[in-house]
Amino acid sequence: MFLFHGREAHSRSVVKAISWRVLGSIDTFLLSWLFTGSPKAAGAIASTEVITKMILYYFHERAWSSVKWGFVEAPEDPATKI
């Protein structure tokens, strides 16, 4: 994406988004089932939120990868100097 020039590849952000959503969706499914008592309703809730939250997470990660705040610069390695 042209707006985000972070240090992380887009593919890495996508894989992180997917793995996070799997974990989050399991949590959402279990909580929805607990509150509604219906596995069918819980499945509908969990499957709906998967797509929206993956997209939101991807853009959130890409935006934060462009922010320099909070990164500590690594000291220059004298062995690499010629």
Side-chain angles (χ1 to χ4, degrees):
M1 176 138 242
F2 67 93
L3 294 177
F4 307 114
H5 301 290
R7 298 184 301 187
E8 188 169 285
H10 291 280
S11 58
R12 178 179 164 88
S13 293
V14 170
V15 170
K16 284 172 62 179
I18 291 169
S19 67
W20 176 247
R21 279 317 326 139
V22 167
L23 181 60
S25 295
I26 291 168
D27 177 61
T28 299
F29 176 81
L30 293 174
L31 288 172
S32 298
W33 191 359
L34 176 70
F35 292 136
T36 67
S38 167
K40 186 175 180 180
I45 293 167
S47 61
T48 301
E49 62 92 44
V50 162
I51 298 188
T52 58
K53 297 234 175 121
M54 263 190 349
I55 292 167
L56 289 170
Y57 178 81
Y58 175 81
F59 286 111
H60 180 262
E61 275 290 302
R62 297 308 297 177
W64 269 102
S65 71
S66 299
V67 175
K68 295 185 188 305
W69 174 79
F71 281 115
V72 177
E73 293 292 323
E76 196 172 310
D77 184 2
T80 60
K81 286 187 175 183
I82 297 177

Coordinates of all heavy atoms in Angstrom, one line a residue:
M1 N 0.8 -1.2 0.0 CA 0.0 0.0 0.0 C 0.9 1.2 0.0 O 1.8 1.3 0.8 CB -0.9 -0.1 1.2 CG -1.8 1.1 1.4 SD -3.4 0.6 1.9 CE -4.3 1.2 0.6
F2 N 0.6 2.2 -0.8 CA 1.4 3.3 -1.0 C 1.5 4.3 0.2 O 2.4 5.1 0.4 CB 1.0 4.1 -2.2 CG -0.3 4.8 -2.1 CD1 -0.5 6.0 -1.7 CD2 -1.5 4.0 -2.4 CE1 -1.7 6.6 -1.6 CE2 -2.7 4.6 -2.3 CZ -2.8 5.9 -1.9
L3 N 0.5 4.2 1.1 CA 0.5 5.1 2.3 C 1.4 4.7 3.4 O 1.8 5.5 4.2 CB -0.9 5.2 2.8 CG -2.0 5.9 1.9 CD1 -3.3 5.8 2.6 CD2 -1.6 7.3 1.7
F4 N 1.8 3.4 3.5 CA 2.5 2.9 4.6 C 3.9 2.4 4.1 O 4.0 1.4 3.4 CB 1.7 1.8 5.3 CG 0.3 2.2 5.7 CD1 -0.8 1.7 5.1 CD2 0.2 3.2 6.6 CE1 -2.0 2.1 5.4 CE2 -1.1 3.6 6.9 CZ -2.2 3.1 6.3
H5 N 4.9 3.0 4.6 CA 6.3 2.6 4.2 C 7.0 2.2 5.5 O 8.1 2.7 5.8 CB 7.0 3.7 3.6 CG 6.3 4.2 2.3 ND1 6.3 3.5 1.2 CD2 5.7 5.4 2.1 CE1 5.6 4.1 0.3 NE2 5.2 5.3 0.8
G6 N 6.5 1.2 6.2 CA 7.2 0.7 7.4 C 8.3 -0.3 7.1 O 8.6 -0.5 6.0
R7 N 8.8 -0.8 8.2 CA 9.9 -1.8 8.1 C 9.4 -3.2 7.9 O 10.2 -4.1 7.9 CB 10.8 -1.7 9.3 CG 11.4 -0.3 9.4 CD 12.4 -0.3 10.5 NE 11.7 -0.6 11.8 CZ 12.3 -0.5 13.0 NH1 13.5 -0.1 13.1 NH2 11.6 -0.8 14.1
E8 N 8.1 -3.4 7.9 CA 7.5 -4.8 7.8 C 6.9 -5.0 6.5 O 6.2 -4.1 6.0 CB 6.5 -4.8 8.9 CG 5.9 -6.2 9.2 CD 5.1 -6.3 10.4 OE1 5.7 -6.3 11.5 OE2 3.9 -6.3 10.3
A9 N 7.1 -6.2 5.9 CA 6.5 -6.5 4.6 C 5.0 -6.6 4.7 O 4.5 -7.0 5.8 CB 7.1 -7.8 4.1
H10 N 4.3 -6.3 3.7 CA 2.8 -6.4 3.7 C 2.4 -7.8 4.0 O 1.4 -8.0 4.7 CB 2.2 -5.9 2.4 CG 2.4 -4.5 2.1 ND1 1.5 -3.5 2.7 CD2 3.3 -3.8 1.4 CE1 1.9 -2.3 2.3 NE2 2.9 -2.4 1.5
S11 N 3.1 -8.8 3.5 CA 2.7 -10.2 3.7 C 2.8 -10.6 5.2 O 2.0 -11.3 5.7 CB 3.6 -11.1 2.8 OG 5.0 -10.9 3.1
R12 N 3.8 -10.0 5.9 CA 3.9 -10.3 7.3 C 2.7 -9.7 8.0 O 2.2 -10.3 8.9 CB 5.2 -9.7 7.8 CG 5.4 -9.9 9.3 CD 6.8 -9.3 9.8 NE 6.8 -9.1 11.2 CZ 7.3 -10.0 12.0 NH1 7.6 -11.2 11.6 NH2 7.3 -9.8 13.3
S13 N 2.3 -8.5 7.7 CA 1.2 -7.9 8.3 C -0.1 -8.7 8.1 O -0.9 -8.8 9.0 CB 1.0 -6.4 7.8 OG 2.0 -5.6 8.2
V14 N -0.2 -9.2 6.9 CA -1.4 -10.1 6.6 C -1.4 -11.3 7.4 O -2.5 -11.7 8.0 CB -1.5 -10.4 5.0 CG1 -2.5 -11.4 4.7 CG2 -1.7 -9.1 4.2
V15 N -0.3 -12.0 7.5 CA -0.2 -13.3 8.3 C -0.5 -13.0 9.7 O -1.2 -13.7 10.4 CB 1.1 -14.0 8.1 CG1 1.3 -15.1 9.0 CG2 1.2 -14.5 6.6
K16 N 0.1 -11.9 10.3 CA -0.2 -11.5 11.7 C -1.7 -11.2 11.9 O -2.2 -11.6 12.9 CB 0.7 -10.3 12.1 CG 2.1 -10.6 12.3 CD 3.0 -9.4 12.5 CE 2.6 -8.6 13.7 NZ 3.4 -7.4 13.8
A17 N -2.3 -10.5 10.9 CA -3.7 -10.2 11.0 C -4.5 -11.5 11.1 O -5.5 -11.6 11.9 CB -4.1 -9.3 9.9
I18 N -4.2 -12.4 10.2 CA -5.0 -13.7 10.1 C -4.8 -14.5 11.4 O -5.8 -15.0 12.0 CB -4.6 -14.5 8.9 CG1 -5.0 -13.8 7.6 CG2 -5.1 -15.9 9.0 CD1 -4.4 -14.4 6.4
S19 N -3.6 -14.6 11.9 CA -3.4 -15.4 13.1 C -4.1 -14.8 14.3 O -4.6 -15.4 15.2 CB -1.9 -15.7 13.4 OG -1.2 -14.5 13.7
W20 N -4.0 -13.4 14.4 CA -4.7 -12.7 15.5 C -6.2 -12.9 15.4 O -6.9 -13.1 16.4 CB -4.3 -11.3 15.5 CG -5.0 -10.5 16.5 CD1 -5.9 -9.5 16.3 CD2 -4.9 -10.6 17.9 NE1 -6.4 -9.0 17.5 CE2 -5.8 -9.6 18.5 CE3 -4.1 -11.4 18.7 CZ2 -5.9 -9.5 19.9 CZ3 -4.2 -11.2 20.1 CH2 -5.1 -10.3 20.7
R21 N -6.7 -12.9 14.2 CA -8.2 -13.0 14.0 C -8.6 -14.4 14.4 O -9.8 -14.6 14.9 CB -8.6 -12.7 12.6 CG -8.7 -11.2 12.3 CD -9.4 -10.3 13.4 NE -10.5 -10.9 14.2 CZ -10.7 -10.7 15.5 NH1 -9.8 -10.0 16.2 NH2 -11.7 -11.2 16.1
V22 N -7.9 -15.4 14.1 CA -8.3 -16.8 14.5 C -8.4 -16.9 16.0 O -9.4 -17.3 16.5 CB -7.2 -17.8 14.0 CG1 -7.5 -19.2 14.6 CG2 -7.3 -17.9 12.4
L23 N -7.4 -16.4 16.7 CA -7.5 -16.4 18.2 C -8.7 -15.5 18.6 O -9.4 -15.9 19.5 CB -6.2 -15.8 18.7 CG -6.1 -15.8 20.3 CD1 -6.2 -17.2 20.9 CD2 -4.8 -15.2 20.7
G24 N -8.8 -14.3 18.1 CA -9.9 -13.4 18.5 C -11.3 -14.0 18.2 O -12.2 -13.8 19.0
S25 N -11.4 -14.7 17.1 CA -12.7 -15.2 16.7 C -13.1 -16.4 17.5 O -14.3 -16.6 17.8 CB -12.7 -15.7 15.2 OG -12.5 -14.5 14.4
I26 N -12.1 -17.2 18.0 CA -12.4 -18.3 18.9 C -12.9 -17.7 20.2 O -13.9 -18.1 20.8 CB -11.2 -19.2 19.2 CG1 -10.8 -20.0 17.9 CG2 -11.4 -20.1 20.3 CD1 -9.5 -20.6 17.9
D27 N -12.3 -16.6 20.7 CA -12.7 -15.9 21.9 C -14.1 -15.4 21.7 O -15.0 -15.5 22.5 CB -11.7 -14.8 22.2 CG -12.2 -14.0 23.4 OD1 -12.3 -14.6 24.5 OD2 -12.4 -12.8 23.2
T28 N -14.4 -14.7 20.6 CA -15.7 -14.1 20.3 C -16.8 -15.2 20.2 O -17.9 -15.1 20.8 CB -15.7 -13.3 19.0 OG1 -14.8 -12.3 19.1 CG2 -17.1 -12.8 18.6
F29 N -16.5 -16.3 19.6 CA -17.4 -17.4 19.5 C -17.8 -18.0 20.8 O -19.0 -18.1 21.2 CB -16.8 -18.6 18.6 CG -17.7 -19.8 18.5 CD1 -18.8 -19.8 17.7 CD2 -17.5 -20.9 19.3 CE1 -19.7 -20.9 17.6 CE2 -18.3 -22.0 19.3 CZ -19.4 -22.0 18.4
L30 N -16.7 -18.2 21.7 CA -17.0 -18.8 23.0 C -17.8 -17.8 23.9 O -18.7 -18.2 24.6 CB -15.7 -19.2 23.7 CG -15.0 -20.4 23.0 CD1 -13.6 -20.6 23.6 CD2 -15.8 -21.6 23.1
L31 N -17.4 -16.5 23.8 CA -18.2 -15.6 24.6 C -19.6 -15.4 24.1 O -20.5 -15.3 24.9 CB -17.4 -14.2 24.7 CG -16.2 -14.2 25.5 CD1 -15.4 -12.9 25.3 CD2 -16.4 -14.4 27.0
S32 N -19.8 -15.4 22.8 CA -21.1 -15.2 22.2 C -22.0 -16.4 22.6 O -23.2 -16.3 22.9 CB -21.0 -15.1 20.7 OG -20.3 -13.9 20.4
W33 N -21.4 -17.6 22.6 CA -22.1 -18.8 22.9 C -22.5 -18.8 24.4 O -23.7 -19.1 24.8 CB -21.3 -20.0 22.6 CG -22.0 -21.4 22.7 CD1 -23.3 -21.6 23.0 CD2 -21.4 -22.6 22.4 NE1 -23.6 -22.9 23.0 CE2 -22.4 -23.6 22.6 CE3 -20.2 -23.0 22.1 CZ2 -22.2 -25.0 22.4 CZ3 -20.0 -24.4 21.9 CH2 -21.0 -25.4 22.1
L34 N -21.6 -18.3 25.2 CA -21.9 -18.2 26.6 C -23.0 -17.2 26.9 O -23.9 -17.5 27.7 CB -20.6 -17.7 27.4 CG -20.7 -17.5 28.9 CD1 -20.9 -18.8 29.6 CD2 -19.5 -16.7 29.4
F35 N -23.0 -16.1 26.2 CA -24.0 -15.1 26.5 C -25.4 -15.4 25.8 O -26.4 -15.0 26.4 CB -23.6 -13.7 26.0 CG -22.4 -13.1 26.9 CD1 -21.3 -12.6 26.3 CD2 -22.5 -13.2 28.2 CE1 -20.3 -12.0 27.0 CE2 -21.4 -12.7 29.0 CZ -20.3 -12.1 28.4
T36 N -25.3 -16.0 24.6 CA -26.6 -16.2 23.9 C -27.1 -17.6 24.2 O -28.3 -17.9 24.0 CB -26.4 -16.1 22.4 OG1 -25.6 -17.1 21.9 CG2 -25.9 -14.7 22.0
G37 N -26.3 -18.6 24.5 CA -26.7 -20.0 24.7 C -26.9 -20.7 23.4 O -27.4 -21.8 23.3
S38 N -26.6 -20.0 22.3 CA -26.8 -20.6 20.9 C -25.5 -20.6 20.1 O -25.0 -19.6 19.8 CB -27.8 -19.7 20.2 OG -27.9 -20.0 18.8
P39 N -25.1 -21.9 19.8 CA -23.9 -22.0 19.0 C -24.1 -21.4 17.6 O -23.1 -20.9 17.0 CB -23.6 -23.5 18.9 CG -24.8 -24.1 19.4 CD -25.6 -23.2 20.2
K40 N -25.3 -21.4 17.1 CA -25.6 -20.9 15.8 C -25.4 -19.4 15.8 O -24.8 -18.8 14.9 CB -27.0 -21.3 15.3 CG -27.3 -20.9 13.9 CD -28.7 -21.4 13.5 CE -29.0 -21.0 12.1 NZ -30.3 -21.5 11.6
A41 N -26.0 -18.7 16.8 CA -25.9 -17.3 16.9 C -24.4 -16.9 17.1 O -23.9 -15.9 16.5 CB -26.7 -16.7 18.0
A42 N -23.7 -17.7 17.9 CA -22.3 -17.4 18.2 C -21.5 -17.5 16.9 O -20.6 -16.7 16.7 CB -21.8 -18.4 19.3
G43 N -21.8 -18.5 16.1 CA -21.1 -18.7 14.8 C -21.3 -17.5 13.9 O -20.4 -17.0 13.2
A44 N -22.6 -17.0 13.9 CA -22.9 -15.9 13.0 C -22.2 -14.6 13.5 O -21.6 -13.9 12.7 CB -24.4 -15.6 13.0
I45 N -22.1 -14.4 14.8 CA -21.4 -13.2 15.3 C -19.9 -13.4 15.0 O -19.3 -12.4 14.5 CB -21.7 -13.1 16.8 CG1 -23.1 -12.8 17.1 CG2 -20.7 -12.1 17.4 CD1 -23.5 -12.9 18.5
A46 N -19.3 -14.5 15.3 CA -17.9 -14.7 15.1 C -17.5 -14.6 13.6 O -16.5 -14.0 13.3 CB -17.4 -16.0 15.7
S47 N -18.3 -15.2 12.7 CA -17.9 -15.1 11.3 C -18.1 -13.7 10.7 O -17.3 -13.3 9.8 CB -18.7 -16.1 10.5 OG -20.1 -15.9 10.6
T48 N -19.0 -13.0 11.2 CA -19.2 -11.6 10.8 C -18.0 -10.7 11.2 O -17.5 -9.9 10.4 CB -20.5 -11.0 11.3 OG1 -21.6 -11.8 10.8 CG2 -20.7 -9.6 10.8
E49 N -17.6 -10.8 12.4 CA -16.5 -10.0 12.9 C -15.1 -10.3 12.4 O -14.3 -9.5 12.4 CB -16.5 -9.9 14.4 CG -16.3 -11.2 15.2 CD -14.8 -11.4 15.5 OE1 -14.1 -10.5 15.9 OE2 -14.4 -12.5 15.3
V50 N -15.0 -11.5 11.9 CA -13.7 -11.9 11.3 C -13.2 -11.0 10.2 O -12.1 -10.5 10.3 CB -13.7 -13.4 10.7 CG1 -12.6 -13.6 9.8 CG2 -13.7 -14.4 11.8
I51 N -14.0 -10.7 9.3 CA -13.6 -9.9 8.1 C -13.3 -8.4 8.5 O -12.3 -7.9 8.2 CB -14.6 -10.0 7.0 CG1 -14.7 -11.5 6.6 CG2 -14.4 -9.1 5.9 CD1 -15.4 -12.0 5.5
T52 N -14.3 -7.8 9.2 CA -14.1 -6.4 9.6 C -12.9 -6.2 10.5 O -12.1 -5.3 10.3 CB -15.3 -5.9 10.3 OG1 -15.6 -6.6 11.5 CG2 -16.5 -5.9 9.4
K53 N -12.6 -7.1 11.4 CA -11.5 -6.9 12.4 C -10.2 -7.2 11.7 O -9.2 -6.6 12.0 CB -11.7 -7.8 13.6 CG -13.0 -7.4 14.4 CD -12.7 -7.1 15.8 CE -13.9 -6.6 16.5 NZ -14.4 -7.3 17.6
M54 N -10.1 -8.2 10.7 CA -8.9 -8.4 10.0 C -8.5 -7.2 9.2 O -7.3 -6.8 9.2 CB -9.0 -9.6 9.1 CG -8.5 -10.9 9.7 SD -8.3 -12.3 8.6 CE -9.1 -11.9 7.1
I55 N -9.4 -6.6 8.6 CA -9.2 -5.4 7.8 C -8.7 -4.2 8.7 O -7.7 -3.6 8.4 CB -10.4 -5.0 6.9 CG1 -10.6 -6.1 5.8 CG2 -10.2 -3.6 6.3 CD1 -12.0 -6.0 5.2
L56 N -9.4 -4.0 9.7 CA -9.0 -3.0 10.7 C -7.6 -3.2 11.3 O -6.8 -2.3 11.4 CB -10.1 -2.8 11.8 CG -11.4 -2.3 11.4 CD1 -12.4 -2.4 12.6 CD2 -11.3 -0.8 11.0
Y57 N -7.3 -4.4 11.6 CA -6.0 -4.8 12.2 C -4.9 -4.5 11.2 O -3.9 -4.0 11.5 CB -6.0 -6.2 12.7 CG -4.7 -6.6 13.3 CD1 -4.3 -6.3 14.6 CD2 -3.7 -7.3 12.5 CE1 -3.1 -6.6 15.1 CE2 -2.5 -7.7 13.0 CZ -2.2 -7.3 14.3 OH -0.9 -7.6 14.8
Y58 N -5.1 -4.9 10.0 CA -4.1 -4.8 8.9 C -3.8 -3.3 8.8 O -2.6 -2.9 8.8 CB -4.6 -5.3 7.6 CG -3.6 -5.0 6.5 CD1 -2.5 -5.8 6.3 CD2 -3.8 -4.0 5.6 CE1 -1.6 -5.6 5.3 CE2 -2.9 -3.7 4.6 CZ -1.8 -4.5 4.4 OH -0.9 -4.2 3.4
F59 N -4.8 -2.4 8.6 CA -4.5 -1.0 8.5 C -3.9 -0.4 9.8 O -3.0 0.5 9.7 CB -5.7 -0.3 8.1 CG -6.1 -0.5 6.6 CD1 -7.2 -1.2 6.3 CD2 -5.2 0.0 5.6 CE1 -7.5 -1.5 4.9 CE2 -5.5 -0.2 4.3 CZ -6.6 -1.0 3.9
H60 N -4.3 -0.9 10.9 CA -3.7 -0.4 12.2 C -2.3 -0.8 12.2 O -1.4 0.1 12.6 CB -4.5 -1.1 13.3 CG -4.0 -0.7 14.7 ND1 -3.2 -1.5 15.4 CD2 -4.3 0.4 15.5 CE1 -2.9 -0.9 16.5 NE2 -3.6 0.3 16.6
E61 N -1.9 -2.0 11.9 CA -0.5 -2.4 11.9 C 0.3 -1.6 10.9 O 1.5 -1.2 11.2 CB -0.4 -3.9 11.5 CG -0.6 -4.8 12.7 CD 0.6 -4.8 13.7 OE1 1.7 -5.0 13.3 OE2 0.3 -4.4 14.9
R62 N -0.2 -1.4 9.7 CA 0.6 -0.7 8.7 C 0.8 0.7 9.1 O 1.9 1.3 8.9 CB -0.1 -0.8 7.3 CG -0.2 -2.2 6.8 CD 1.1 -2.9 6.7 NE 2.0 -2.3 5.8 CZ 3.3 -2.7 5.6 NH1 3.7 -3.8 6.2 NH2 4.1 -2.0 4.9
A63 N -0.2 1.3 9.7 CA -0.1 2.7 10.2 C 1.0 2.8 11.3 O 1.9 3.7 11.2 CB -1.4 3.3 10.6
W64 N 0.9 1.9 12.2 CA 1.9 1.9 13.3 C 3.3 1.6 12.9 O 4.3 2.1 13.4 CB 1.5 1.0 14.4 CG 0.6 1.7 15.5 CD1 -0.7 1.6 15.6 CD2 1.1 2.6 16.5 NE1 -1.1 2.4 16.6 CE2 0.0 3.0 17.2 CE3 2.4 3.1 16.8 CZ2 0.1 3.9 18.2 CZ3 2.4 4.0 17.9 CH2 1.3 4.4 18.6
S65 N 3.4 0.8 11.8 CA 4.8 0.5 11.3 C 5.5 1.7 10.7 O 6.7 1.8 10.5 CB 4.8 -0.7 10.3 OG 4.2 -0.3 9.1
S66 N 4.7 2.7 10.4 CA 5.2 4.0 9.8 C 5.6 5.0 10.9 O 6.3 6.0 10.6 CB 4.2 4.6 8.9 OG 3.9 3.8 7.8
V67 N 5.2 4.8 12.1 CA 5.4 5.7 13.2 C 6.8 5.4 13.8 O 7.0 4.2 14.2 CB 4.3 5.6 14.3 CG1 4.6 6.5 15.5 CG2 3.0 6.0 13.7
K68 N 7.7 6.4 13.9 CA 9.0 6.1 14.4 C 9.1 6.2 15.9 O 10.0 5.8 16.5 CB 10.0 7.2 13.8 CG 10.1 7.0 12.3 CD 11.2 7.9 11.8 CE 11.2 7.9 10.3 NZ 11.4 6.7 9.6
W69 N 8.0 6.8 16.6 CA 8.0 6.9 18.0 C 8.1 5.5 18.7 O 7.5 4.6 18.3 CB 6.7 7.6 18.4 CG 6.5 7.6 19.9 CD1 7.1 8.5 20.8 CD2 5.7 6.7 20.7 NE1 6.7 8.2 22.1 CE2 5.9 7.1 22.1 CE3 5.0 5.6 20.4 CZ2 5.2 6.5 23.1 CZ3 4.3 5.0 21.5 CH2 4.5 5.4 22.8
G70 N 9.0 5.5 19.7 CA 9.1 4.2 20.5 C 10.2 3.3 20.0 O 10.5 2.3 20.7
F71 N 10.8 3.5 18.9 CA 11.9 2.7 18.4 C 13.2 3.2 18.9 O 13.5 4.4 18.9 CB 12.0 2.6 16.9 CG 11.0 1.7 16.2 CD1 10.0 2.3 15.4 CD2 11.0 0.4 16.4 CE1 9.0 1.5 14.8 CE2 10.1 -0.4 15.8 CZ 9.1 0.1 15.0
V72 N 14.0 2.3 19.4 CA 15.4 2.6 19.9 C 16.3 2.3 18.7 O 16.3 1.2 18.2 CB 15.7 1.8 21.1 CG1 17.1 2.2 21.6 CG2 14.7 2.1 22.2
E73 N 17.1 3.3 18.3 CA 18.0 3.1 17.3 C 19.1 2.2 17.7 O 19.7 2.3 18.8 CB 18.7 4.4 16.8 CG 17.7 5.4 16.1 CD 17.2 4.8 14.8 OE1 18.0 4.2 14.0 OE2 16.0 5.0 14.5
A74 N 19.5 1.2 16.9 CA 20.6 0.3 17.2 C 21.9 1.0 17.1 O 22.1 1.8 16.1 CB 20.5 -1.0 16.3
P75 N 22.8 0.8 18.0 CA 24.1 1.4 17.9 C 24.9 0.9 16.6 O 24.7 -0.2 16.2 CB 24.9 1.1 19.2 CG 24.1 -0.1 19.7 CD 22.7 -0.1 19.2
E76 N 25.6 1.8 16.0 CA 26.4 1.4 14.8 C 27.4 0.4 15.2 O 28.1 0.6 16.2 CB 27.0 2.7 14.2 CG 27.5 2.5 12.8 CD 27.9 3.8 12.2 OE1 27.2 4.8 12.3 OE2 29.0 3.8 11.7
D77 N 27.6 -0.6 14.4 CA 28.5 -1.7 14.6 C 29.9 -1.3 14.1 O 30.0 -1.1 12.9 CB 28.1 -3.0 14.0 CG 29.0 -4.2 14.2 OD1 30.0 -4.0 15.0 OD2 28.7 -5.3 13.7
P78 N 30.9 -1.1 14.9 CA 32.2 -0.6 14.4 C 32.9 -1.6 13.5 O 33.7 -1.3 12.7 CB 33.1 -0.5 15.7 CG 32.3 -1.0 16.8 CD 30.9 -1.2 16.4
A79 N 32.5 -2.9 13.6 CA 33.1 -3.9 12.7 C 32.7 -3.7 11.2 O 33.3 -4.2 10.3 CB 32.7 -5.3 13.2
T80 N 31.6 -3.0 11.0 CA 31.1 -2.8 9.6 C 31.7 -1.6 9.0 O 31.5 -1.4 7.8 CB 29.6 -2.7 9.6 OG1 29.2 -1.6 10.4 CG2 28.9 -4.0 10.1
K81 N 32.4 -0.8 9.8 CA 33.0 0.4 9.2 C 34.3 0.0 8.4 O 35.1 -0.8 8.8 CB 33.4 1.4 10.3 CG 32.2 2.1 10.8 CD 32.7 3.2 11.8 CE 31.5 4.0 12.3 NZ 31.9 5.1 13.1
I82 N 34.5 0.7 7.3 CA 35.7 0.4 6.5 C 36.6 1.5 6.6 O 36.3 2.7 6.6 CB 35.3 0.1 5.0 CG1 34.5 -1.2 5.0 CG2 36.6 -0.1 4.2 CD1 34.0 -1.6 3.6

